[in-house]
């Protein structure tokens, strides 16, 4: 049902774009409505789980949660894009259509019950992202980002397809259901394990885990801020949704713990490297790119632990991470000036005197990213650490906390500039209804999920079980 | 009256609060000297009334049978934790009453004297507030029925001493300032307190109580190792050394002369410095259980006595001479205590309080009349200008020099006798030598001040007698210096019970005496012989001093040139201050600054912390270079990752 | 009255009023100030009411209030107090209005935010002291970093950024390891009780059963976190920086309450949760405590900046507290608890006084001052009292704490050697040295600096008003500490029973005796 | 076809895959790099077809069609990006495209 709605929405958007010149005013609000409607529909129908397209897609349960996350993030991103795109000089109607399509792709990924569907969803999403990254085709930075993203993304796709081929060959089927049921017998087949590993590597690229993270800083820096916000949240969540689907096969059947080790290692690498390198970044978008790498690391802890708690933890983490990051990128987009100026941390000096609201909000999001209780970010980490310790991965949890100590430094550095330093540049910040409402909604969610994590967690736990 | 004893503690406190909080207002409200009078009256009256109460309690106690002479007045619980139960309670017995009489009595006189001495001082009210606070603390010290209340007073008097030494906080004193002297006093005292604290801890560990009655009775009966007793005694004695200015912690007392002279009289001569003697005497049973420590006490006392006396021989500051004399006399008291003659030491505390307070007050009167000049070389022939001061000073000098019939003679003689009887001839000899020196330097002081040529500048200095508010206390003290000794007449003359003070205090020391039991058999003849010898030697020293300093000052001059090294050594107090400065103070200070702070803290610890941060920062700056911007490199990185993963997978199969 | 919601009201008061503060405009300075003081006074009154409902003879946690919070993790909002936490809660609510009152002139910039931070900070500290769920405790423990971070960073001195970041990261480092330990305990508990729990009362039963080797790690993680907060030598270097750079109000709260959270954590969590490890490592920890006492004092002695001097003195004073806690005798732990309050009062007073002078002259270096007794007599007296209280003069509060700690540690079997006390007691000497020396250089002597004459004015009524209550308690605790000692006695006994039960069973399970060379052979 | 062992096809496709990967790593021209990626995809396709044929089910072959479709879409977007790049910078040498680094 939600897939049809989005699909119809895309068609309608295309028609609007073609038929009227006012499409730029209509499309954003249309998209917001579309996304919000789908998000709410998904949340309401969490408990109704059924299968579509002869076992290809599953509706409800985990996928409903993911669908809600995708749609909700998209809605917020669209809100904050309205005014930003004018500034960014890329005020095209297809922007919204691309977002809608990519959301459809994500939804397919998250609901997939067959590796084919995973691939289809992934490609739909990725191709839209390639285009979104380069949406401002006049700008060299956007060109470079999209080219890098495209080449490396396609490279990764090559691995994924090859992996799928090997899995298919050794299992004789692409149904995930089948994989789950017969995992133990398959796992003695070296080709199967090899295929699965290659497949996982491809997705490790998508979630930006070290050492497959190299594209992230450049692409995040070069694309439009709102697009970065979208990719780093919904895009990452979509890739994780695939891991979680596949993982129910890998872990619940006592597989050889090779994958556990694999995840543990890339998680440790990502956490440490992301945190460490972020320290020396002055460009805020680039810094958040590295932060996103380290957060991917935290989430992978949950994959390594692989129990119910940690899976619920990852989903929770993804949801709150989406709110936080969208909020943070919205603030950045609000402050950003023409020609991608003012994304350097120095421009944030004395922000509190220019705009107390934005200063408070960026601090809130930074503290949340740093995982300071009682903000939502803390609970995400708490959950994955909890899962890790339960799975006897205490060392990983310790690596995690140590790297979050390091990461605190660059998060609070933003607060230092916003509050403790005096302004050096003079500029005025235009208020934007769309962006500000996106920020407020994200902030509210960050606080609410912090004080009452059970609201969200309750839904997730029921869905996971 | 015994039950009202807490009033004697409270009254000075009230006086302190009134003068301390409202003194400035009183002074401003009543212009001229009437404000001073009110403040002075409040200050003196509180102590005076306390004195009367103590006297009442004294007579009440005397009227009781001997067994009931020890009474406790409880106020409220102070510290009650686990097995520790410390009350604010006062112990009224023979020893504390004796001390209380001295403190309030002499204290009252000095208060009165101060009204005159401090006249015109801008902080008149503050002075009286501090004095009252001192009396409050001192009363706690001597009346407290447990170690902690004693310690409260112990530290409290230290504080008052600190405040009063630094009373003229903007004046210079010798090479430094008064406040440096004050700080020195407090810190050196604290070193002693450190020992005292450890003593208390060990007592609590051993006897599970800090209450005098309990601890002392347990100490008399409990089977406790002698080593433990020894350790306790050593610790307590360290406390006493600090407070009573014995070797090696005596250095603060001469510097304490930076305070106003009444302070020197009250705190640094008559009362506070004897607190150590009181404490040893109070815990006599513990000391008596550790004979080795007793010997240490005696030796320390003896050495202090002779050392301080030798320094006193050459000092030129009138108060300095008296200060070293005090140190020396305190040494006598410890000698007595160490010899087991606790009552003799308390007796000497009493007589010393009279004559030394008198000496200081009289000296104060001289200083007052000489416009704050303290160098005795610039005095001379003052007898005719200040007759009353001279007379009283003369009496006190006789007393301290051990001229028979005066108070000092009896107490000093008793100590010397016990140092022979319970100790050895060497003890007596050194004690005797000290007594000779004492007689000498006191008469040197007397001669240079009151006799001989007038060496002061007549144009600027107009010596005059002090007002009667100052001289009347002098006269009263002179009276007691004359007759105070008769409560402790030698047993050789008056028999076992004729020594009033000894038989009064005896019950206190009974347990200690039981343990000691070291009275050797010495004949009366020996005692009288030694007494005669000491009198003869003292008198000859007096004669020599008078002769040299009134008639032939050049002899002194020649001697000082002839024995230049010795003279300088003595003049500079054996360079002990300098030695401490170089051996203790400087190393600690420099070490703390150069080593602990600037190296250990800033470089090592903080350096490690910041270094770690810097390391991560460097690491970050280095590792970010991996991100070259070249798409190829990214692909290579990915492939490396895949290759490693595959390799690992294959290896793990 | 075992169950009561009063603590929740107490907690909510500053939170709600901090939000209300945001409704004011920055220009309404007077209103904001009064509002802040009034709000914190209300909190103080509520805590007094809570105190009247508190039964000090009851060894259990009282005034508890439990509401399920996160079902899936079995975490509940669970607050309650025993004597120790009640005392510290009172200290917190007592000091907060006074510090707010002290900022009248010092804080001009962004007053609204300042009051907001202070009230939030108060809420955080109260939460730490009343939480009976480790998860909840951890949240408060971390959450109060944020307002403190802002207080140092926005209203601090020149190097405020360095200091605030150092403070934040240093303290966070320890607490994150504690987080791992908390989770580990919760998971471990599920293997014993069958369900995850972070409920402190449940974990009190679970903690001691943790296998010896792992318990040491758990203990280490908790201890590290608390030791950094205390701060114990050699983890103390964030403190001087934070103290020096923080505004007066920040320093007062930092010294007065924040550091106590560390020592409170040791008493509340380390000792009863991990008794074997606590006993086993007590001597090592005490060595560091003693080093801290002496080291803090010596370094304090040579400081040229008054605030830094007081900051290092905190290292020394809190060394006493740690020593008292790990001596584990009733006397020493009681002493440690009362010393926490004492340090809050006397160091708080010292910081306030330094702040008063700083407000007028904008200088904190000792050399700048000298001879101010003549210019500002009331101030000098106040400083004297604060100094003496810090020095530990009998009759004032400091003595009671230090004496009990030393007395208790001397006879402690857990430490097993009297040398700890002997060395610690030298701190008593050094305290006199550094504080009186500072006092002498600042207050006594001649006025050499004539700038002082027109800049320095004596304390005004408001300043006397906020110092007087502190001095009242300084004397009160010094003369009649029973009021406070009785409050905590039963609670301390309960904790020690938990420890000693283990202690006697295992009878010093130590496989090393490195301190033998200084062993003092008793009996 | 049935007399050729499956392994031959697999090895061939693996070799093709490696050639593709090597091309991506070595070549500088963005279009050539992209073509190498297409080669990788095609090697995967070959694998799929092989398996499909040997397993005797059609899923693999169906999937190949999807992959080809996707590759076509990818090519469209990718070439558009490369063209945009070329317009702005007049080069498609990926070594010269490095304004973002570190």
């Amino acid at each position: 049902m939600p897939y049809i709605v989005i699909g119809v929405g895309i068609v309608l958007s295309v028609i609007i774009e073609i038929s009227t010149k006012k499409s730029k005013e209509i499309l954003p609000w249309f998209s917001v409505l579309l996304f919000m409607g789908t998000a709410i529909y998904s949340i309401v129908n969490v408990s109704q789980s059924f299968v579509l397209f002869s076992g290809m897609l599953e509706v409800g349960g985990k996928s409903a949660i993911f669908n809600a996350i995708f749609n909700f993030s998209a809605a917020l991103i669209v809100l904050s894009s309205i005014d930003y795109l004018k500034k960014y000089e890329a005020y095209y109607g297809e922007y919204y259509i691309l977002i809608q399509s990519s959301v459809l792709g994500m939804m397919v990924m998250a609901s997939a019950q067959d590796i084919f569907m995973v691939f289809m969803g992934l490609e739909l999403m990725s191709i839209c992202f390639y285009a979104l990254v380069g949406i401002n085709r006049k700008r060299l930075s956007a060109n470079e980002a999209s080219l890098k993203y495209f080449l490396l993304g396609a490279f990764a796709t090559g691995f994924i397809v090859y992996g799928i081929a090997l899995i298919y060959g050794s299992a004789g089927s692409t149904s995930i259901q089948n994989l789950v049921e017969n995992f133990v017998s398959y796992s003695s087949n070296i080709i199967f394990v090899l295929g699965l590993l290659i497949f996982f590597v491809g997705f490790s690229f998508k979630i930006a885990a070290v050492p497959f993270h190299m594209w992230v800083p450049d692409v995040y820096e070069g694309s439009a801020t709102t697009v970065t916000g979208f990719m780093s949240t919904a895009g990452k969540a979509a890739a994780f949704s695939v891991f979680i689907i596949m993982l129910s096969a890998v872990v619940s059947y006592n597989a050889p713990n090779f994958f556990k080790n694999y995840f543990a290692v890339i998680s440790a690498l990502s956490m440490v490297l992301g945190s460490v390198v972020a320290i020396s970044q002055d460009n805020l978008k680039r810094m958040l790119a590295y932060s996103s790498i380290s957060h991917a690391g935290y989430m992978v802890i949950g994959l390594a632990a692989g129990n119910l708690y940690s899976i619920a933890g990852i989903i929770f983490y993804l949801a709150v991470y989406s709110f936080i990051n969208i909020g943070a990128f919205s603030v950045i987009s609000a402050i950003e000036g023409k020609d991608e100026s003012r994304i350097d941390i120095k421009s944030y000096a004395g922000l509190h005197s220019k705009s107390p609201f934005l200063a408070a909000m960026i601090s809130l999001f930074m503290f949340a990213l740093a995982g300071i209780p009682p903000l939502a970010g803390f609970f995400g980490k708490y959950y994955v650490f909890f899962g890790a310790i339960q799975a006897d991965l205490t060392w990983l949890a310790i690596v995690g906390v140590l790297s979050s100590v390091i990461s605190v430094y660059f998060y609070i550095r933003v607060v230092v500039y916003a509050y403790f330093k005096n302004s050096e540049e003079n500029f005025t910040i235009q208020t934007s209804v769309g962006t500000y409402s996106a920020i407020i909604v994200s902030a509210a969610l960050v606080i609410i999920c912090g004080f009452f994590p059970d609201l969200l967690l309750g839904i997730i736990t029921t869905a996971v079980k | 009256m015994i039950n009202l004893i807490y009033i004697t503690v409270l009254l000075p406190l009230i006086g302190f609060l009134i003068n301390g909080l409202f003194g400035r207002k009183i002074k401003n409200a009543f212009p001229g000297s009437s404000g001073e009078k009110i403040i002075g009256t409040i200050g003196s009256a509180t102590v005076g009334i306390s004195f009367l109460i103590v006297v009442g309690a004294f007579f009440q106690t005397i009227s009781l049978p001997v067994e009931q002479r020890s009474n406790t007045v409880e106020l409220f619980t102070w510290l009650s934790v686990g097995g520790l139960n410390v009350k604010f309670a006062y112990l009224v017995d023979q020893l504390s009453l004796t001390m209380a009489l001295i403190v309030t009595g002499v204290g009252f006189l000095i208060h009165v004297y101060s009204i005159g001495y401090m006249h015109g001082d801008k902080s008149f009210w503050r002075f009286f507030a501090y004095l009252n606070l001192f009396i409050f603390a001192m009363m706690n010290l001597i009346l407290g029925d447990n170690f902690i209340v004693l310690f409260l007073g112990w530290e409290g008097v230290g504080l008052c001493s600190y405040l009063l030494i630094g009373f003229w906080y903007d004046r210079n004193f010798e090479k430094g300032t008064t406040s440096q002297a004050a700080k020195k006093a407090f810190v050196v005292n604290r070193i002693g307190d450190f020992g005292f604290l450890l003593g208390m801890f060990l007592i609590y560990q051993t006897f599970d109580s800090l209450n005098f009655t309990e601890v002392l009775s347990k100490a008399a009966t409990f089977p406790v190792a002698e080593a433990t007793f020894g350790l306790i005694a050593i610790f307590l004695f360290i406390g006493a050394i600090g407070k009573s200015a014995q070797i090696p912690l005596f250095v603060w007392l001469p510097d304490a002369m930076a305070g106003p002279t009444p302070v020197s009289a009250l705190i640094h001569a008559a009362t506070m410095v004897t607190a150590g003697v009181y404490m040893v005497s109070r815990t006599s049973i513990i000391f008596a259980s550790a004979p080795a420590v007793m010997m240490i006490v005696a030796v320390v006392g003896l050495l202090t006595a002779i050392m301080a006396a030798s320094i006193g021989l050459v000092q030129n500051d009138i108060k300095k001479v008296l200060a070293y004399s005090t140190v020396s006399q305190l040494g006598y008291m410890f000698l007595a205590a160490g010899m087991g003659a606790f009552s003799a030491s308390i007796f000497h505390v009493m007589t010393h309080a009279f004559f030394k307070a008198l000496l200081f007050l009289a000296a104060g009167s001289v200083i007052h009349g000489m416009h704050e000049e303290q160098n005795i070389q610039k005095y001379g022939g003052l007898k005719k200008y200040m007759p009353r001061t001279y007379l009283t000073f003369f009496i006190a000098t006789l007393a301290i020099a051990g001229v028979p019939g005066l108070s000092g003679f009896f107490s000093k003689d008793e100590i010397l006798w016990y140092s022979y009887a319970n100790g050895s001839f060497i003890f007596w000899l050194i004690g005797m030598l000290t007594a000779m020196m004492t007689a000498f330097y006191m008469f040197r002081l007397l001669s240079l001040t009151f006799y001989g040529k007038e060496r002061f500048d007549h144009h600027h200095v107009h010596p005059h007698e002090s007002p009667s508010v100052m001289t009347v206390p002098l006269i009263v003290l002179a009276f007691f210096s004359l007759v105070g000794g008769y409560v402790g007449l030698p047993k050789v003359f008056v028999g076992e019970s004729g020594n009033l003070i000894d038989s009064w205090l005896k019950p206190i020391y009974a347990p200690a005496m039981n343990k000691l039991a070291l009275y050797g058999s010495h004949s009366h003849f020996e005692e009288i012989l030694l007494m005669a010898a000491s009198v003869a030697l003292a008198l000859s020293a007096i004669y020599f001093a008078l002769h040299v300093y009134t008639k032939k000052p050049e002899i002194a001059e020649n001697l000082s040139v002839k024995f230049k090294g010795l003279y300088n050594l003595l003049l500079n107090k054996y360079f002990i201050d300098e030695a401490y400065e170089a051996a203790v103070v400087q190393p600690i200070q420099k070490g703390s600054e150069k080593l602990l702070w600037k190296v250990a803290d800033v470089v090592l610890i903080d350096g490690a912390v910041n270094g770690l941060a810097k390391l991560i920062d460097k690491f970050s700056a280095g590792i970010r270079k991996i991100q070259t911007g070249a798409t190829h490199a990214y692909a290579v990185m990915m492939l490396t990752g895949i290759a490693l993963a595959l390799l690992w997978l294959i290896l793990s199969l | 009255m075992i169950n009561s919601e009063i603590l929740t009201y107490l907690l909510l008061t500053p939170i709600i009023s901090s939000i209300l503060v945001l409704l004011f405009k920055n220009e309404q300075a007077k209103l904001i100030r009064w509002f802040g003081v009034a709000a914190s006074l209300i909190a103080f009154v509520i805590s007094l009411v809570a105190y009247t409902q508190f039964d000090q003879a009851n060894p259990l946690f009282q005034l508890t209030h439990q509401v399920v919070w996160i079902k899936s993790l079995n975490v509940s909002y669970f607050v309650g107090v025993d004597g120790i936490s009640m005392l510290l809660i009172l200290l917190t609510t007592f000091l907060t209005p006074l510090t707010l009152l002290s900022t009248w002139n010092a804080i001009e910039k962004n007053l609204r935010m300042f009051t907001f931070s202070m009230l939030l900070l108060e809420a955080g500290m109260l939460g730490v002291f009343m939480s009976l769920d480790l998860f909840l405790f951890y949240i408060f423990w971390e959450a109060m970093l944020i307002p403190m971070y802002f207080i140092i960073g926005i209203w601090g001195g020149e190097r405020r950024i360095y200091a605030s970041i150092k403070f934040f990261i240093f303290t966070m480092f320890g607490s994150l390891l504690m987080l791992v330990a908390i989770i580990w305990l919760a998971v471990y508990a599920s293997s014993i009780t069958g369900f995850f729990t972070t409920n402190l009362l449940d974990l009190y039963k679970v903690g001691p059963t943790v296998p010896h080797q792992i318990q040491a790690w758990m203990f280490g993680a908790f201890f590290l976190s608390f030791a950094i907060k205390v701060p114990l030598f050699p983890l103390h270097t964030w403190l001087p920086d934070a103290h020096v750079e923080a505004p007066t109000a920040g320093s007062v709260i930092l010294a007065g309450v924040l550091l106590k959270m560390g020592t409170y954590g040791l008493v509340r969590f380390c000792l009863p949760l991990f008794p074997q490890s606590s006993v086993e490592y007590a001597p090592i920890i005490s060595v560091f405590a003693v080093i801290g006492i002496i080291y803090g004092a010596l370094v304090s002695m040579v400081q040229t900046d008054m605030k830094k001097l007081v900051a290092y003195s905190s290292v020394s004073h809190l060394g006493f507290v740690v020593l008292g806690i790990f001596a584990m005798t009733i006397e020493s732990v009681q002493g440690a608890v009362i010393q926490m309050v004492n340090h809050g009062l006397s160091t708080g007073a010292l910081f306030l006084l330094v702040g008063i002078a700083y407000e007028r002259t904008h200088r904190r270096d000792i050399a700048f001052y000298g001879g101010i007794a003549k210019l500002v007599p009331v101030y000098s007296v106040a400083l004297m009292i604060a100094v003496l209280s810090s020095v530990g003069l009998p009759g004032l509060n400091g003595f009671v704490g230090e004496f009990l700690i030393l007395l208790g540690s001397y006879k402690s079997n857990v430490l097993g050697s009297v040398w700890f006390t002997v060395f610690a007691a030298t701190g008593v000497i050094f305290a006199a040295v550094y504080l009186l020396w500072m006092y002498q250089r600042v207050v006594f002597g001649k006025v050499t600096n004539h700038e002082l004459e027109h800049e320095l004015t004596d304390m005004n009524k408001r300043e006397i008003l906020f110092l007087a209550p502190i001095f009242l308690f300084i004397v009160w605790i010094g003369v009649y500490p029973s009021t406070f000692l009785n409050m905590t006695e039963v609670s301390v006994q309960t904790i020690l029973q938990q420890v000693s039960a283990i202690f006697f069973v295992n009878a010093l399970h130590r496989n090393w005796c490195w301190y033998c060379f200084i062993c003092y052979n008793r009996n | 076809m049935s007399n050729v062992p499956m392994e031959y096809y697999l090895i061939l496709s693996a070799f093709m895959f490696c050639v593709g990967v090597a091309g991506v790593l070595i070549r500088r021209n963005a279009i050539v790099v992209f073509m190498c990626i297409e080669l990788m995809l095609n090697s995967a396709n070959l694998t799929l077809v092989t398996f499909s044929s040997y397993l005797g089910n059609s899923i693999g072959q169906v999937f190949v069609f999807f992959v080809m479709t996707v590759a076509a879409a990818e090519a469209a977007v990718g070439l558009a990006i490369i063209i945009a790049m070329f317009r702005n910078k007049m080069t498609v040498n990926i070594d010269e495209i490095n304004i973002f680094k570190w």
Side-chain angles (χ1 to χ4, degrees), chain A residues 115-116 119-120 123 127 130-131 137-148 150-151 153-155 157-159 161-162 164-166 168-170 172-174 191 218 221-222 281 286 290, chain D residues 10 13-14 17 21 24 30 33-34 37 40-41 43-45 47-48 51-52 55 57-60 62-63 66-67 70 73-74 77-78 81-82 84-85 88-89 94 97-102:
Chain A
I115 301 184
F116 279 1
F119 177 71
M120 293 306 295
E123 282 307 295
I127 292 172
Y130 301 149
R137 48 185 176 260
K138 288 171 207 130
R139 198 163 284 184
L140 195 57
S141 57
N143 289 153
E144 177 175 335
S146 67
L147 184 60
K148 279 181 176 170
F150 167 69
L151 288 179
F155 189 51
T157 305
F159 281 99
V161 176
Y162 196 71
I164 290 174
L166 292 182
Y168 164 69
S170 52
S173 156
T174 51
I191 296 193
D218 295 3
E221 188 182 347
Q281 300 301 332
R286 205 170 172 83
Y290 281 106
Chain D
L10 293 183
S13 69
F17 191 83
V21 169
V24 171
V33 169
F34 180 55
I37 292 170
M40 286 164 67
L41 288 178
S43 79
N45 283 347
T47 317
L48 279 168
F51 280 132
S52 175
L55 289 168
N57 72 20
S58 60
I59 304 171
V62 174
F63 192 65
F66 279 101
V67 173
V70 164
E74 226 170 23
V77 174
I81 291 171
I82 294 171
M85 184 79 216
N88 276 333
K89 202 163 176 172
I94 53 172
I97 303 169
N98 58 352
I99 34 176
F100 299 123
K101 51 185 151 189
W102 301 330

Side-chain angles (χ1 to χ4, degrees), chain B residues 24 76-84 88 122 125-126 148 151-153 155-156 159 162-163 166 169-172 177 179-180 182-183 186-187 190-194 197-198 200-202 204-205 208 210 228 231 235 585 588-590 592-594 596-597 600-602 605-606 609-610, chain C residues 162 166 170 233-234 236-237 241 295 298-299 301-304 308 312 330-331 334 373-374 377 384 388 391-395 399-400 403-404 406-407 410-411 418 421-422 425-426 428-433 436-437 439-440 443-446 477-482 485-486 489 520 522:
Chain B
R24 180 191 295 269
F76 59 87
T77 301
W78 187 15
L79 283 172
S80 167
V81 176
L84 179 72
F88 250 109
K122 60 184 170 12
W125 55 278
R126 198 159 55 90
I148 305 191
F151 191 70
L152 166 79
E155 289 265 289
L159 167 72
Y162 169 79
L163 291 171
Y169 52 80
D170 50 357
R171 289 196 191 176
N172 286 335
T177 58
S179 49
Q180 277 169 348
K183 188 198 72 187
F186 196 87
V187 170
R190 271 260 157 157
I191 297 173
D193 298 348
F194 161 75
L197 273 175
L198 292 182
M200 279 197 272
F201 301 150
L202 192 52
Y204 181 63
Q205 198 197 13
D208 245 339
L210 283 171
T228 310
L231 217 52
F235 283 147
V585 178
I588 288 182
Q589 203 173 321
K590 286 271 153 22
S592 304
E593 189 182 341
K594 299 266 151 65
L596 286 186
W597 181 30
D601 210 55
V602 174
I605 300 175
D606 216 20
V609 172
N610 290 334
Chain C
Y162 169 74
K166 196 172 179 183
F170 217 129
F233 174 90
H236 64 278
T237 53
D241 287 316
Y295 177 90
L298 287 177
V299 175
M301 184 172 75
V302 290
Q303 294 304 315
T304 52
K308 219 166 189 173
Y312 276 108
I330 180 85
E331 292 90 348
Q334 277 278 61
K374 196 173 265 169
M384 174 100 268
L388 291 175
V391 163
L393 189 85
F399 170 73
V400 176
F403 184 80
L404 288 177
L406 293 172
L407 189 72
Y410 196 92
K411 62 167 222 177
V418 297
T421 314
V422 173
T426 58
V428 174
I429 304 174
F430 293 124
V433 178
L436 290 180
W437 195 28
Y439 189 80
Q440 170 207 329
V443 175
F444 290 148
K446 292 195 180 73
I477 297 179
V479 175
Y480 195 71
S482 306
L485 289 174
N486 292 344
E489 174 126 24
Y520 163 62
R522 271 194 231 112

Side-chain angles (χ1 to χ4, degrees), chain C residues 324-336:
Chain C
I325 291 170
F326 281 94
M328 296 186 216
T329 57
I330 180 85
E331 292 90 348
S332 71
V333 179
Q334 277 278 61

Side-chain angles (χ1 to χ4, degrees), chain B residues 425-512:
Chain B
F425 181 70
I426 297 289
F427 279 79
W428 179 86
L429 191 67
I430 298 174
M432 191 53 237
L433 225 57
T434 309
M436 267 178 70
M437 288 184 189
T438 309
F440 178 81
Y441 66 69
M442 281 317 296
F443 271 86
R444 168 176 176 265
L445 184 63
L446 186 75
S447 318
L448 286 174
T449 306
F450 292 102
Y451 307 142
K453 261 190 273 171
E454 297 175 9
R455 295 181 300 279
F456 50 89
D457 183 355
H458 283 276
H459 299 291
H460 297 105
V461 182
H462 309 283
H464 57 83
E465 180 59 283
S466 300
S468 53
V469 72
M470 285 167 73
T471 49
V472 170
L474 295 184
I475 291 162
V476 176
L477 281 171
F479 171 73
F480 281 108
S481 299
L482 273 173
V483 304
Y486 289 91
V487 296
L489 292 173
K491 288 177 191 162
V492 62
F493 298 132
V494 293
E496 201 54 35
S497 58
N499 187 331
L500 296 177
I501 190 156
D502 188 53
S503 39
W504 160 248
L505 290 174
K506 207 169 205 164
I508 302 280
Y509 305 121

